[in-house]
Amino acid sequence: MTERYDDQNIFAKILRGEIPSKTVLETEHSLAFHDISEQAPVHVLVIPKGRYISYDHFALSASEAEIVDYTRAIGEVCKMMGVQPGEGGGFRMISNAGEAGIQEVPHLHVHILGGRRLGRMLPRAD
Ligand code: AMP
C-alpha cells in the first residue's frame, strides 16, 4: 500500500457524521448506506469504519473481527434489500480500486447493485 489514507474523503466525513447519508445498516465495524446517484433500483454502498483505502488494503491489513463484520454486513444488506439469488433475483458486487479501477472515493466501499437485470459485467471497450 503506497497510497495514504485521506481523512477528508467523503466517506470519512459520513463516518464522522459531518455529512448525512441514508443508512441501511450499521454494525460495530461497518456502515451501509444508499448511493447518492443510484444506478439500479438497489444500489447500496458498504464501507468499513476503519481507515482502509481499497479492498486489497483491507484484506491484508484489517483485523479478523473487522473482516468478519464487514463480510457479514454485506450478506445482511443483500438479505435486507431482497436481492439474494433465486427466482430471478440476484445482485452484483463491485469494488473499484485505484486509478485503473476508476475509484472516485478513496475509502473502501463495495457497491451492491440489484433489482433489475444488470447486463454484462464490463463494456467491451474503453
Ligand atoms: P467509486 O467510483 O467506486 O469510488 O464510487 C463512488 C460512489 O460514491 C459513486 O457511486 C457515488 O455516487 C457515491 N457517492 C459519492 N458521494 C456520496 C454521498 N455523499 N453519499 C452516498 N454516495 C455517494
Side-chain angles (χ1 to χ4, degrees), residues 11 33-37 45 96 102-105 109 111:
F11 295 165
F33 51 91
H34 292 280
D35 194 293
I36 205 166
S37 175
L45 301 173
N96 298 315
I102 315 187
Q103 179 180 9
E104 287 171 21
V105 181
H109 50 285
H111 298 252

Side-chain angles (χ1 to χ4, degrees), residues 5-122:
Y5 184 83
D6 171 14
D7 282 300
Q8 293 311 311
N9 80 72
I10 199 132
F11 295 165
K13 291 181 181 176
I14 286 175
L15 284 167
R16 291 195 295 266
E18 292 169 12
I19 58 170
S21 68
K22 286 165 68 183
T23 302
V24 171
L25 175 71
E26 180 165 10
T27 64
E28 185 179 359
H29 295 294
S30 310
L31 180 69
F33 51 91
H34 292 280
D35 194 293
I36 205 166
S37 175
E38 67 212 8
Q39 295 184 41
V42 173
H43 189 171
V44 175
L45 301 173
V46 190
I47 69 174
K49 291 183 177 175
R51 300 164 79 253
Y52 301 104
I53 298 172
S54 54
Y55 202 94
D56 57 305
H57 182 208
F58 179 75
L60 295 174
S61 312
S63 68
E64 291 189 9
E66 289 175 301
I67 290 170
V68 169
D69 181 293
Y70 188 58
T71 306
R72 293 259 195 258
I74 290 168
E76 195 59 43
V77 167
C78 292
K79 190 173 167 188
M80 290 170 73
M81 302 310 293
V83 295
Q84 290 162 304
E87 295 175 16
F91 63 92
R92 183 167 299 153
M93 246 171 73
I94 298 173
S95 191
N96 298 315
E99 209 177 318
I102 315 187
Q103 179 180 9
E104 287 171 21
V105 181
H107 182 111
L108 167 59
H109 50 285
V110 164
H111 298 252
I112 296 176
L113 297 147
R116 66 166 167 82
R117 277 187 75 79
L118 294 164
R120 297 189 69 86
M121 189 168 71
L122 290 174

